[in-house]
Amino acid sequence: PALDRVPLADVPRIGFPGWPKLTAALAGGIPLGTVLLVHGPPGIGKTTLGLQLSVSRRMVYASTELTLPMLRQMADRLALDVAAVVPIYVSRVEEVVAVVETVKAPVCVVDAVNGLACDTDGPVLVNVVKALLRMARERGTAVLAFCHATKDDDYAGPRTVEHDVDGLIRLEPDAD
């Protein structure tokens, strides 16, 4: 059919409690079925953002850096209701995909994509992001993928990754 005959779909969005400017910048939040790559300097609040996104929401929180007790301590310190969160400590993207598919989670946070390996040949980060994008599209899952910042304050990894994701968010300290 011609493009004008394709039905319009209202794609649900997941907002970011505690981050109203980010929710507004994304026109109401991250759309289901998409991958947003988020980077910023250490300590900017990437993990806090991911945990706040999880409040009262069924989701998978895939950590490659913080252990599960460390995540729980952070959630408790922030007084967040994370009863619906399925936390996993992982090293491979295939593990993330398997858990998201098993749990049927509408949201997945990957903290951080730089810490994941994958079974396919080629540039690791590119293949990890492509696997997450495929999962997001097939499952209708919103994926927030955190990425390390380099010394130059850019995201770590090949520049081609920015063409694979649906959006790139850079967190910066307030100028105030």
Side-chain angles (χ1 to χ4, degrees):
L3 185 57
D4 66 346
R5 297 200 188 272
V6 174
L8 292 174
D10 186 22
V11 178
R13 293 174 176 266
I14 306 293
F16 297 91
W19 298 71
K21 289 180 182 177
L22 181 56
T23 299
L26 294 170
I30 178 173
L32 295 181
T34 61
V35 176
L36 294 182
L37 190 65
V38 180
H39 80 97
I44 193 72
K46 295 181 293 292
T47 302
T48 299
L49 171 66
L51 286 171
Q52 286 180 333
L53 178 63
S54 70
V55 173
S56 302
R57 179 174 288 129
R58 190 177 81 240
M59 69 170 284
V60 170
Y61 196 105
S63 176
T64 65
E65 299 172 341
L66 297 179
T67 64
L68 301 186
M70 293 166 79
L71 274 176
R72 172 66 191 274
Q73 284 178 335
M74 186 173 227
D76 284 355
R77 197 170 50 250
L78 295 167
L80 300 175
D81 174 10
V82 291
V85 175
V86 176
I88 56 174
Y89 185 69
V90 294
S91 60
R92 306 196 66 73
V93 71
E94 293 83 8
E95 296 171 84
V96 177
V97 172
V99 172
V100 169
E101 288 178 354
T102 300
V103 174
K104 297 181 181 14
V107 181
C108 177
V109 170
V110 179
D111 187 5
V113 292
N114 307 82
L116 290 175
C118 64
D119 289 339
T120 54
D121 292 330
V124 175
L125 185 59
V126 171
N127 289 332
V128 164
V129 168
K130 286 185 179 193
L132 292 173
L133 192 59
R134 197 170 31 258
M135 176 196 70
R137 297 287 196 266
E138 290 172 1
R139 301 240 25 103
T141 303
V143 178
L144 199 62
F146 299 141
C147 187
H148 292 146
T150 65
K151 288 189 283 184
D152 298 327
D153 208 22
D154 198 2
Y155 66 89
R159 299 301 304 185
T160 57
V161 169
E162 66 190 22
H163 299 287
D164 292 330
V165 296
D166 297 297
L168 182 63
I169 298 171
R170 176 181 158 80
L171 299 178
E172 298 179 354
D174 281 338
D176 300 341

